[in-house]
Structure formats: structure tokens, C-alpha cells
Amino acid sequence: GALDGAGYKHYGGYPQSPRTRAEAAEVVKAYFNRLAGDARAKARPEELRLFSSINGHYCYQHYACEWGADIVGSEVGENINSTQAHIAFTRGAARQYGKPWLIDFSSWYRPSMYDEDPRKTWGEYSGPERGHSLSLHQRTYYVAYLAGAEVVVAEGGWLNFFRSQSPGPDGTLPLSRLGEAGARFYAFTKRYSDRGIPYTPVGLLIDPLHGIFPGFGEKLAWNAFPYSPGDQRILNLWEAFFPESLDVQAKRNEKGYLVTSPYGDILDVIFNNAPDAILAAFPVLLLAGEVTQEALLADRLRKYVRQGGTLFLSEADAKLLAITRALKLKPGMLTAAGPGYARVERGRGAVVVY
């Protein structure tokens, strides 16, 4: 029943413990639709053109696309781990569903807020040395823009981009250091408006019912189910591409927000129910996590590989019966290979078991 900043009442939790991930997803969907319906009922006609869904901590962007959002986004900064992984989820969802996407950077941090206004808008939490560093603000703006985001939101920027809300002699508000950085970023976007297309040749293929929450606190899929070995394999790949970024709370510093990837930021996350044309757009697919429609997926993966794609499977995922049969994989192939992986050609493509 608590009110959020936009005046919406929220009722968290489940009316009763869900027995399956599908049941949990239906409760979350109903929650989303209730908020969306309320927002649309309150919106002015011109606001109805684009309904935006933004979530942080939880990587649920694909669900928002599925349930009717026009723009899908992720909040980053704040106390939210792994900006690059959130971009991979958000951009992947936008790619799968043909939606524009956005990144919202929150200045809040542990809990404090960047604010140069001497009135201290957020009281004891405000200050020019509070919240996130200027460096992280700036780096996130540029990373989001160059990653392909159509919208980059400076959360609270209407206030903390300025030293004061009182106009100067020329009638404009004086810029804060953060506002000056924002102005430089804006000029950069105008100077380099043609960004090209982000190069993301690797698709992380996960199940529509994954429901994973890698943030702080207890790790539960859909806030209800302990992580399975399949869930952990998703996070292991996350950690491989974006090392030491899974838990920013534990570090108590900004090291986990933007990290140096050994492979570059070349990953998008897509659901395994994506159309064949979306799968084929990725030269490489990494399958991970639980699979609810194994037989259907196995046939589609066989087609993907035979038409030229390269599919990576962990040893555990390679033992899924339907996939093993569809791809004609042999037991013990990894042990026989020796170097820690085995590669087999299938049609014009290949399967790599690691």
C-alpha cells in the first residue's frame, strides 16, 4: 500500500506462494498490467503515444516488451549491479521485440544523492560529494549512448544539473559540475549522431521463465525459488563476460558498475522463444539456464546450426536429452576432446561443448 514518487500504490509479494515459475510470472504480469492500466488512465492524450517501462535490479525487460511497453528501459547507477549486463538484457529485449530502449542513470548511492544546491533538496542525503562520482555519471552516459540507447535519462537531472533553482542575470539556471558534464555529453551526441549499429555477435539464450534476480539480498528466481544449477550457469556466463560485477553491495565502492570485459561488450540477451530470424542474426549463441520447451527448442537449434550458426553448450546443457538427440551429440565427447572443449561440425555450422 505504500505510495511511490509518482503516486502509485504498490502491493508486493504473492497472494499465495507460487508452485511454479509460470504461476509466479502470471502474478508479476497482473501486477505490471494493473500499474500500466492505472498509468494510461491518468495520462494526457499526448502521453499515451509511448508507454515506457523501466526496471532496475531485476532483468525483466523482455517481459515488459511482451506485455505491451512501447519503450523498454533499465535503471542503472543507484545500488544496481553490472551496468553492462543490464544493457545486454535491455538491448537484447529491444532487439527481439523491435522496440526502442533507454538507460536511466540514478545518482542515488548508499543512500546519498549528488546535489550542489545549497538548499540540500534531499536533506541529509544531499551534497556535492554525495551519491555517485562524476566519473561514473559521465562514463555511463557515453556507454549507454554508444551501446545504442535511443534515450539516456539523467534521473533527477532537472535539479542536480544546476547549482541553484534561482535564475541568474541572463535568466538561465547556473549549471552544476554535473550539468556541465551533461552539456558536454549532449554536444557529443549532436556531433556524433550517426553511431552505426552496435556489434553484438553473441546471443545469450535463456528461457522466458528465468526470473533471475542477481541483486543484493537473497538470490531467488521470481523472488520465490532458490537458484537452480541452470540459473547459476546464466550467472556464471554473466561473470565471464563482465567479471566481478554481480554484487556491487558487497564491494561498497563503484568497481562493479562498469568493468573491463575480456571479450568486449559483445553480448545481447534474448529469450529462446525469439523468432528464427532473430536467432540467425547472431553468429554465436550461448545456451544457458532452465529450458521449459526443450523439444521445440532442440529442433530450432538444430536448424540454427545447420544453417551456419555456432552454438555453445556447457557440458550440463549438452546432456539435455532432446538437444542431444537433435544435434547428434555423443556422451563423453568433452572428456575425449582433452583441452576443455569439443567442437563438432553440423551442416554449415558447429556445436561447441565446453
Side-chain angles (χ1 to χ4, degrees), residues 100-277:
W101 63 282
L102 67 84
I103 290 294
D104 169 282
F105 183 85
S106 171
S107 298
W108 282 98
Y109 185 44
R110 295 194 322 203
S112 64
M113 181 65 164
Y114 187 93
D115 180 17
E116 291 186 27
D117 193 320
R119 294 178 303 175
K120 294 194 174 229
T121 310
W122 291 279
E124 62 178 307
Y125 302 117
S126 283
E129 304 302 328
R130 308 296 300 276
H132 279 297
S133 65
L134 278 173
S135 169
L136 187 65
H137 280 85
Q138 294 176 86
R139 285 181 288 131
T140 305
Y141 297 162
Y142 287 94
V143 164
Y145 179 68
L146 293 173
E150 277 85 0
V151 182
V152 179
V153 178
E155 186 178 317
W158 66 275
L159 194 142
N160 62 13
F161 267 33
F162 307 99
R163 292 199 310 274
S164 168
Q165 293 296 297
S166 300
D170 63 354
T172 65
L173 302 183
L175 291 175
S176 65
R177 289 179 299 152
L178 179 58
E180 291 170 351
R184 289 193 296 272
F185 168 67
Y186 179 75
F188 178 89
T189 67
K190 293 303 175 185
R191 190 161 65 250
Y192 302 106
S193 58
D194 183 4
R195 295 169 288 177
I197 299 171
Y199 181 60
T200 54
V202 179
L204 175 57
L205 197 61
I206 65 176
D207 197 81
L209 292 177
H210 72 88
I212 62 170
F213 166 58
F216 57 88
E218 189 175 8
K219 306 296 190 288
L220 297 171
W222 295 107
N223 263 48
F225 307 103
Y227 276 179
S228 68
D231 295 327
Q232 192 58 50
R233 289 196 291 276
I234 295 175
L235 298 185
N236 290 347
L237 285 170
W238 181 324
E239 186 72 3
F241 277 85
F242 311 115
E244 297 186 48
S245 69
L246 274 173
D247 193 350
V248 299
Q249 290 284 324
K251 297 182 181 68
R252 309 301 288 175
N253 57 45
E254 291 182 330
K255 285 185 178 179
Y257 287 91
L258 289 170
V259 298
T260 303
S261 171
Y263 311 106
D265 296 359
I266 60 171
L267 183 74
D268 279 343
V269 180
I270 57 172
F271 280 177
N272 61 32
N273 63 355
D276 288 347

Side-chain angles (χ1 to χ4, degrees), residues 47 67 73 138 284 291:
E47 292 176 321
W67 300 336
Q138 294 176 86
V284 174
V291 178

